Amino acid sequence: MKKFIILTLLIISFSCNSNAQKKKQEEIKKYSVTKTDDEWKKQLTAEQYYVLRQQGTENRFSSPLNKNHEKGTYVCAACNTPLFLSEHKYDSGSGWPSFEKEIKGNVAFSSGSDYYYGIEEHCAVCGGHLGHVFNDGPKNTTGLRHCINGVALKFIPKNE
């Protein structure tokens, strides 16, 4: 009986590990820009790596992009994919750059581990964590608040 239990536990542990590895491989395959952790660490600052690759959050009111009112496009700091337009940016008072809508197809959504933090947003090209989207945005437009870590973005002025 002991051998049967041990054998069953071994089979379960290997099958769980295999499923986790398959899921990780599927996640990697769904993004067209993929790099190793070492490659991301060389390309990104420590804070960018923390937010974009480890799903961290920058401190409120720490990003100069929060008060940026220039016309232009906000792109992914990791892969330069256009994510948000300045015409959809607004001051939510949250302390993070906020947008009422994204550039369709360039932002991916997934439910986070805690609904309190909203739906997670990622760059659809490299998978970089951007922030979260909530249903408490401007009611006269989309009603959404894309609450984005400024360190996950680069701003490209309209004339460039």
Side-chain angles (χ1 to χ4, degrees):
M1 183 67 169
K2 282 184 181 179
K3 288 181 182 181
F4 176 74
I5 293 172
I6 292 172
L7 180 61
T8 303
L9 289 174
L10 283 172
I11 290 171
I12 290 171
S13 70
F14 281 117
S15 67
C16 290
N17 192 19
S18 176
N19 288 337
Q21 288 173 347
K22 284 179 189 175
K23 185 176 179 183
K24 185 70 172 174
Q25 288 173 347
E26 287 172 11
E27 288 175 9
I28 290 171
K29 286 181 187 176
K30 80 178 177 182
Y31 301 113
S32 58
V33 173
T34 57
K35 297 182 180 187
T36 66
D37 278 343
D38 286 340
E39 289 172 322
W40 285 122
K41 284 178 182 177
K42 287 177 185 172
Q43 176 187 332
L44 303 170
T45 67
E47 189 176 21
Q48 286 174 324
Y49 182 81
Y50 170 68
V51 170
L52 287 160
R53 307 317 308 170
Q54 296 180 310
Q55 286 67 37
T57 301
E58 69 185 358
N59 291 327
R60 293 176 67 192
F61 302 104
S62 66
S63 173
L65 294 179
N66 193 37
K67 295 293 183 185
N68 181 35
H69 300 290
E70 290 182 57
K71 300 253 185 255
T73 304
Y74 294 84
V75 302
C76 177
C79 70
N80 296 316
T81 297
L83 302 170
F84 302 97
L85 300 175
S86 60
E87 63 200 60
H88 301 130
K89 186 174 183 287
Y90 71 99
D91 186 0
S92 68
S94 67
W96 291 279
S98 298
F99 303 86
E100 61 190 19
K101 73 182 202 182
E102 79 285 4
I103 296 175
K104 294 285 183 207
N106 292 355
V107 176
F109 302 91
S110 63
S111 57
S113 57
D114 186 347
Y115 184 74
Y116 176 79
Y117 292 108
I119 296 171
E120 288 186 40
E121 295 189 70
H122 298 269
C123 172
V125 175
C126 73
H129 171 73
L130 304 171
H132 298 86
V133 63
F134 301 92
N135 290 321
D136 61 1
K139 299 297 180 208
N140 61 337
T141 59
T142 64
L144 298 176
R145 173 173 55 102
H146 296 265
C147 188
I148 307 299
N149 291 284
V151 73
L153 302 171
K154 286 193 275 188
F155 179 71
I156 309 296
K158 188 173 185 172
N159 59 359
E160 288 184 23

